[in-house]
Amino acid sequence: MSYENILLEKVEDGIWLLTVNRPRALNALNVSTLDEIRAAVAEVARTSEIRALLVTGAGEKAFVAGADITEMQEMTPLEARDHSARTIGTFRCLETLQIPVIALVNGFCLGGGCELAMSCDWIIASERAVFGQPEVNLGIMPGFGGTQRLPRLVGPNRAMEMILTGRQVKAQEALDWGLANHVCGAEELMEKGLESARSVMARGPLAVRMAKQAVQRGQDMDLENACLLESEIFGVCFSTEDRVEGVSAFVEKRKPDFKAK
Ligand code: CO8
């Protein structure tokens, strides 16, 4: 498929990269970009050779500086609500892809950009990264999931401060708060992302998929039911040929040859 506002490309075997590509507008998410992200996520979901997805923004200045503010000027409240709901659906599709999705944040990561990054499984930030939910400066509030994902990630008090004051958080603080998993130099960002993706590629693909599902589905359950769910998924995982291969390889002191079966 061809896209105008994003790039979706294979970087190496099993690892693909989705780049939001509107650097002149700091990769702001206009409606057509969001439609393309939706289509790209669907393409990734049906492409079985993709085992890990990296998400980043083009240029050196921004990951994504938010939803496209110019488009909001003409929106009616109902259109805004539908736009919010549709984008929340898109980000949920990204979040629930069966493969790991890693955000590489290389600069401004604001509003809808921060919400996009938080929909990924983890974030690697460059030293230049700046995170924030500055919507209140515009007289609006986050609308792409920020009021829900940010408190789950950094805790309610820090999220409140960011969302109610528009306070921006630099890379090191984002790391301290658990918003970013790693911080590195800007020039190392892609390599760090690839390293992270490669370390997933070396593991049992079905186990990775099922573990992601268990973590995600368990988040919204009480502990007892979440642990019961884990046992169920664990049982399915134990039925795979990959489990036989992984355990045998350990005992035979060799590298496993997983077949995703
Ligand atoms: N939307 C549209 N254009 C943008 C955006 C944006 N979010 N951010 C930057 N741009 C454009 C600028 O207008 C400028 O364009 P031009 O060159 O044509 O004037 C270009 O990108 C470069 O930006 P700046 O000149 O402003 O660059 P600076 O380095 O001076 O500043 C900042 C960088 C600080 C990031 C600044 O651009 C800024 O504050 N941007 C807006 C950040 C923001 O408020 N983001 C939140 C947006 S709202 C949101 O995401 C809500 C999501 C829920 C919406 C629900 C929908 C109904």
Side-chain angles (χ1 to χ4, degrees), residues 133-144:
Q133 297 287 164
E135 289 86 347
V136 287
N137 294 326
L138 303 168
I140 58 171
M141 57 176 275
F144 295 164

Side-chain angles (χ1 to χ4, degrees), residues 68-224:
D68 193 310
I69 297 169
T70 57
E71 277 186 346
M72 284 182 219
Q73 269 184 311
E74 306 298 328
M75 260 182 213
T76 66
L78 281 181
E79 284 168 347
R81 187 196 61 179
D82 290 349
H83 183 43
S84 160
R86 187 172 165 79
T87 306
I88 281 176
T90 300
F91 288 5
R92 184 71 183 145
C93 290
L94 177 70
E95 185 168 50
T96 55
L97 276 173
Q98 294 194 337
I99 55 168
V101 181
I102 307 166
L104 305 181
V105 173
N106 48 327
F108 291 113
C109 181
L110 303 175
C114 191
E115 291 163 311
L116 173 64
M118 290 190 293
S119 304
C120 298
D121 294 314
W122 64 90
I123 296 172
I124 304 178
S126 93
E127 289 155 349
R128 287 205 286 258
V130 178
F131 297 84
Q133 297 287 164
E135 289 86 347
V136 287
N137 294 326
L138 303 168
I140 58 171
M141 57 176 275
F144 295 164
T147 61
Q148 303 311 308
R149 288 199 179 88
L150 189 60
R152 283 167 168 78
L153 269 173
V154 304
N157 297 17
R158 286 167 171 163
M160 281 292 190
E161 188 186 345
M162 284 178 73
I163 292 169
L164 305 193
T165 69
R167 167 150 123 68
Q168 296 185 359
V169 165
K170 292 191 179 150
Q172 186 56 47
E173 200 171 19
L175 181 70
D176 296 342
W177 285 12
L179 186 51
N181 280 21
H182 307 280
V183 175
C184 62
E187 62 298 334
E188 295 171 273
L189 188 59
M190 185 54 65
E191 192 46 43
K192 276 270 174 214
L194 284 171
E195 238 174 61
S196 222
R198 284 182 200 127
S199 69
V200 170
M201 295 282 295
R203 319 297 160 197
L206 295 179
V208 166
R209 221 184 278 177
M210 290 181 208
K212 172 168 174 174
Q213 201 191 110
V215 172
Q216 280 190 334
R217 289 178 56 195
Q219 294 291 299
D220 299 322
M221 298 169 83
D222 62 84
L223 186 62
E224 192 175 345

Side-chain angles (χ1 to χ4, degrees), residues 1-8 19-23 30 32-33 36:
M1 246 175 113
S2 69
Y3 301 101
E4 281 178 18
N5 303 294
I6 64 165
L7 302 166
L8 181 65
T19 307
V20 181
N21 190 26
R22 298 184 70 215
N30 59 4
S32 34
T33 304
E36 290 186 9

